Every structure is written in structure tokens, then in C-alpha cells.
Amino acid sequence: MIRPLQLGIMISLTIAGLLLAYFMHIPLAFGFLLGLGSLIFFTIQAGTSWSSLGRSIKSGVLHTKEVVWILLFVSLIIPAWTESGTIPYLIEQGLQLIDPTYLVTLSFVFCAVVSMILGTSTGTLSAIGIPLMGMGAVLQIPLPLLAGALVSGVFVGDRTSPFSSAHQLLASSTGTTVRKQYPKLIPTTIAAVLCSLAFYWIFDLRGDWNAQHVTMPTTNFSAHFELSPWLLIPVIILLGANVFRLKTKYAFLLSIAASIIVGTWLQQVSFVDWLHSLWRGYNLAELPSLHTKGMLQMLDLVLLIALAGAYNGILEKTGTLQPYMEKILGTAPSMTSGTLRTGLFGIILGLLSCTQTLPIMMTGRNLLPLWERKFPREHLSRVIADTALIAAAMIPWNLLAVLCGTIIGIPIASYVPYAIFLWSLPLLTVITSYIIDLVNMKRISSSRQNELSQ
């Protein structure tokens, strides 16, 4: 077993390496090697054989296959939609149909509604977020602000929709059901949504893009693209595939194929041009607002995902963190204290594991026996949903945050200050637990007074 001092060193090196790489603008994979190397070193010192360690690493890397596929398809779908004319068409139509006065607020609402229906953050961002970011660029809205609204919106569904895999995993990990945990999520959900609406509405009122202050901008997309309703086909295919619960990677693949077919037909894109755009991104000098990245720029992130998978595989197979679980919650005197400790543990796991899945599973499964000694398990679902689950979108090296940032083309650290739905939930869930503690204390006090009076 890794000793406490070694565990502290490993955690510190992991976070320090990632932070150093992030702020020095070098590939995160290089920074992550520091933490992975220390974990391997301490694991071998603790008595794990090299063969067992190799199996753990292999298992962890294999578990990242789906994420790798999605990331690669995301790197293809954005230039494919741009080259085919789909994104220019959506921006052009959106500028004609939507009043820009409240575009940031409406973007949050659109993404929240669609993500509740689809139950996917990446699918919603791909279908709605990409064209809305294009509209924001044309209207000269601060893109980190708009990105924060979009990510906040898609995580309303990612966290709360019954169709979300994260929501289903949350219920499974805490030993409850979606039907039972749902009512406990409602108070903080409503509060966070109202906070978000007020936040984005204020920005819309004060923004220079307000229709009362500026005229609607025009684009010159029609000079470069044949704009036609047929260009909606890739979007309809992506949304339809998600509605029918087709695997995300297949939904992306079908949409990319549709983009190539429609783009070749309408825009007369050659085979060579398609290869260039998909590999290096769309980069037409006359249209800087449409510049995108291609698959080439995603290779560093693919390496990071593979290393994170290896890291997770070692943690999971060796049970490195299990001995420290009970110390975290065992002496929690109140739900407020338990909420703070559980939330902090889930966020630390998110910092280390680089995934959304592992913090949900490990926090729920390991703390449940300790939590339900004092509190209902449905409240554990609420705490994890409001901390570990949503923290994945705020950690720059978390795989889900990487996907979100890649889709909308904005660095994670830039949009997080504006993603109020995400960072308000931990505070709101602590307040909720505190109110529950007060109600319980008053109930106990009232019960004692009744007993004394009798």
C-alpha cells in the first residue's frame, strides 16, 4: 500500500506537473508524465509486480477508447461542417432569425433544453454550440462569455437529464434510482439555473451587441459558399442519431459523411481540399471567423487521454485511495460537514483521474456505507452531482473539459469564470445541506420539548 507521505507527494506532483504544463503552454501530456511516473514508482515500491502494473496500465488505456474516438471525430466534424457550408449557413440563418439582444441568455437556454432531451453535453455542443459560437464571433460577443453560457447549458442536461449516462451512473454508484434521486437534485438545479439566467441577462443588457446599440452585422459567406437548406442535413443526422441513442462516435461519423457528400455536391470541394481541411483544419484567409483546427492538432490530446487512462487503471486496480476513504467522512458530525468533505474528495479525484466517471463511481461506492449511517443516500447523489460530476468541465486536463474546449475552440480557463451553473452548484449544495441541518435541529429540539411537556 502506498504510504500517506508518498500519496501526498504523488498528488502534489500530478497537479503541479499539469498546472506547470498548462501555464507554460506546452502539451499537457508532458506535465502529466510527472504524476504518472511518481505513481508507477511508488506502486512498484509498495510491492506491485511489473506484470500486474502492466495489466493495470493496459486496462486503463483500453477504457479510454471511446473518448479517443469521440475526440478524433470532433476534430473532423468541425472542419467538415465548415468546408461543406453547414456552419456558414447556420450562422447566416441565425443572424436573420434571432434578435442578438439576448443571445448569451438564449444560448444558455437552448443548450439546457436540448441537453435535457438528448442527455449529452458533447452532442449538444457539437450541434448547437458550434454555430452559436460562429454567430458570437460575427456579433463580436466576448467568446469566453458565450462559451461559458454554452457549457453551463449543456451541463444542465449532462447532470440532470434522465437520459444522461452520468446521471444514470450517479444513481447506480449511490445505490439509489433515478426516480428517487431526482427530487433531491431539483432545489439546487433550479437555484443554479436562476443564477445563470440572471448572470447572462445582465451581460446581455450591458453588452455592445445589444440590438438597441448596434445594427445587425452582415457576412460575406454567400461569396464563398453555396448556401442552401440542404446544408442542414449533417445537423439533422447528428441530432437524430443522439435522439435514437446511437453511440456518439457513430453519430459523429454519419454527420461527417453527410457533410462530405453535401459539401462535394454544393461547394464542389475536391478530394485534396477535403484531406487538407480534415487534417489541418479550415483556414481561408478571407474568413478568419471560420478558422478551425483539424485532426493534426488533436494528437497531443490523444496522448494525454492515453496517459490519463494508464493513471486511472493503476489507481483502480491497486486500490490506492480506498484505505483513506473512511478517514474522510467517518467523523462528519453534520450533513454540512459531510457535504464539504465529500465534495472536496470528489473534486480532488477529478483533479487526479482526468475523467468524469471515476470520481462519481469512487465517491459514491466508497462513501455510501459511511454516508447512510447518518443521512439518506439520495442526498449523497445530490452532493456528488453538484461537485464531482460538474467539476469535470472546470479542470483543464479533464477529458470531458478537453472535449468541450475543443468543440467550442475556447481554452477551459477562459470560459470557466463565465460558466456560473458549474461553479455555483458546490456553494448551493453546501447551503442546502446547512438548511437541512437547521430544519433537523429544530425538529429534534421541538420533539424534546414535547417530551418534556408531557
Side-chain angles (χ1 to χ4, degrees):
M1 184 183 78
I2 294 180
R3 295 191 296 273
L5 178 60
Q6 294 174 328
L7 180 65
I9 293 173
M10 183 266 292
I11 292 173
S12 300
L13 288 176
T14 301
I15 297 175
L18 288 166
L19 286 173
L20 186 64
Y22 185 79
F23 287 111
M24 291 185 66
H25 304 289
I26 61 176
L28 289 174
F30 291 122
F32 196 71
L33 285 172
L34 192 61
L36 178 60
S38 65
L39 176 60
I40 292 174
F41 177 76
F42 290 136
T43 301
I44 292 297
Q45 270 202 336
T48 303
S49 65
W50 282 102
S51 59
S52 177
L53 181 68
R55 288 192 295 270
S56 300
I57 292 174
K58 180 181 178 181
S59 173
V61 172
L62 290 176
H63 281 156
T64 66
K65 285 192 302 182
E66 289 298 316
V67 179
V68 169
W69 279 117
I70 292 172
L71 184 62
L72 291 176
F73 284 132
V74 164
S75 71
L76 294 175
I77 197 170
I78 299 174
W81 278 18
T82 306
E83 185 74 71
S84 68
T86 293
I87 289 179
Y89 178 77
L90 290 172
I91 294 173
E92 192 82 21
Q93 295 302 307
L95 290 173
Q96 295 178 21
L97 297 175
I98 297 177
D99 185 340
T101 305
Y102 299 106
L103 182 62
V104 178
T105 306
L106 288 174
S107 296
F108 169 73
V109 173
F110 289 161
C111 284
V113 171
V114 175
S115 66
M116 285 295 294
I117 296 171
L118 299 181
T120 168
S121 55
T122 53
T124 303
L125 267 186
S126 300
I128 296 179
I130 296 172
L132 284 174
M133 287 296 291
M135 288 179 61
V138 173
L139 292 167
Q140 297 185 341
I141 296 175
L143 294 185
L145 168 63
L146 185 56
L150 294 172
V151 174
S152 286
V154 300
F155 266 83
V156 173
D158 190 85
R159 166 191 174 275
T160 318
S161 171
F163 306 115
S164 165
S165 58
H167 187 82
Q168 297 280 349
L169 177 65
L170 179 65
S172 172
S173 300
T174 55
T176 184
T177 64
V178 169
R179 183 178 62 83
K180 289 182 178 179
Q181 81 177 4
Y182 210 82
K184 304 302 181 185
L185 300 182
I186 294 300
T188 52
T189 303
I190 293 175
V193 167
L194 291 177
C195 288
S196 301
L197 289 172
F199 184 79
Y200 300 129
W201 181 69
I202 291 171
F203 271 100
D204 275 327
L205 285 180
R206 296 182 175 181
D208 293 336
W209 59 93
N210 191 299
Q212 298 173 5
H213 303 115
V214 297
T215 57
M216 180 63 73
T218 58
T219 69
N220 63 338
F221 293 157
S222 57
H224 300 275
F225 298 95
E226 180 68 32
L227 301 180
S228 164
W230 289 107
L231 294 169
L232 291 173
I233 290 177
V235 182
I236 294 171
I237 288 176
L238 180 63
L239 289 172
N242 280 297
V243 167
F244 288 104
R245 307 298 166 208
L246 195 66
K247 282 189 174 182
T248 305
K249 63 180 181 181
Y250 297 131
F252 280 133
L253 183 59
L254 288 173
S255 183
I256 292 166
S259 293
I260 293 174
I261 293 171
V262 174
T264 302
W265 168 44
L266 288 176
Q267 317 303 343
Q268 303 299 308
V269 182
S270 68
F271 178 74
V272 174
D273 287 339
W274 275 121
L275 288 179
H276 182 273
S277 292
L278 296 177
W279 181 246
R280 292 187 173 273
Y282 182 85
N283 292 288
L284 186 63
E286 293 85 350
L287 297 173
S289 62
L290 294 180
H291 286 186
T292 70
K293 295 179 180 180
M295 184 182 287
L296 177 63
Q297 289 82 10
M298 295 300 109
L299 297 182
D300 288 339
L301 296 179
V302 170
L303 177 59
L304 172 65
I305 290 171
L307 294 176
Y311 193 99
N312 292 335
I314 297 172
L315 287 178
E316 198 166 2
K317 294 293 184 181
T318 59
T320 300
L321 300 176
Q322 267 76 0
Y324 305 96
M325 297 287 187
E326 188 162 356
K327 296 179 181 179
I328 294 171
L329 194 63
T331 58
S334 64
M335 185 179 288
T336 305
S337 176
T339 298
L340 288 168
R341 298 181 188 196
T342 300
L344 181 61
F345 178 72
I347 292 172
I348 290 174
L349 275 179
L351 288 169
L352 292 176
S353 67
C354 300
T355 69
Q356 184 189 47
T357 302
L358 193 63
I360 295 173
M361 289 176 57
M362 291 190 68
T363 307
R365 292 177 183 176
N366 290 282
L367 296 188
L368 177 61
L370 307 170
W371 179 278
E372 64 179 353
R373 292 177 189 172
K374 300 179 179 180
F375 319 116
R377 59 178 61 184
E378 290 78 19
H379 282 291
L380 179 60
S381 293
R382 167 180 59 84
V383 174
I384 296 174
D386 294 342
T387 54
L389 190 155
I390 53 90
M394 296 188 285
I395 299 170
W397 48 85
N398 191 285
L399 305 186
L400 185 56
V402 168
L403 283 174
C404 291
T406 300
I407 292 170
I408 55 180
I410 299 295
I412 295 93
S414 297
Y415 74 63
V416 165
Y418 302 104
I420 187 171
F421 182 80
L422 302 180
W423 52 260
S424 66
L425 279 170
L427 176 62
L428 290 169
T429 207
V430 172
I431 293 173
T432 301
S433 293
Y434 179 71
I435 293 172
I436 292 171
D437 281 335
L438 288 180
V439 171
N440 289 337
M441 288 173 61
K442 288 182 179 180
R443 187 179 301 160
I444 293 171
S445 177
S446 176
S447 175
R448 287 177 178 174
Q449 287 178 358
N450 289 336
E451 290 176 0
L452 291 173
S453 64
Q454 291 176 359

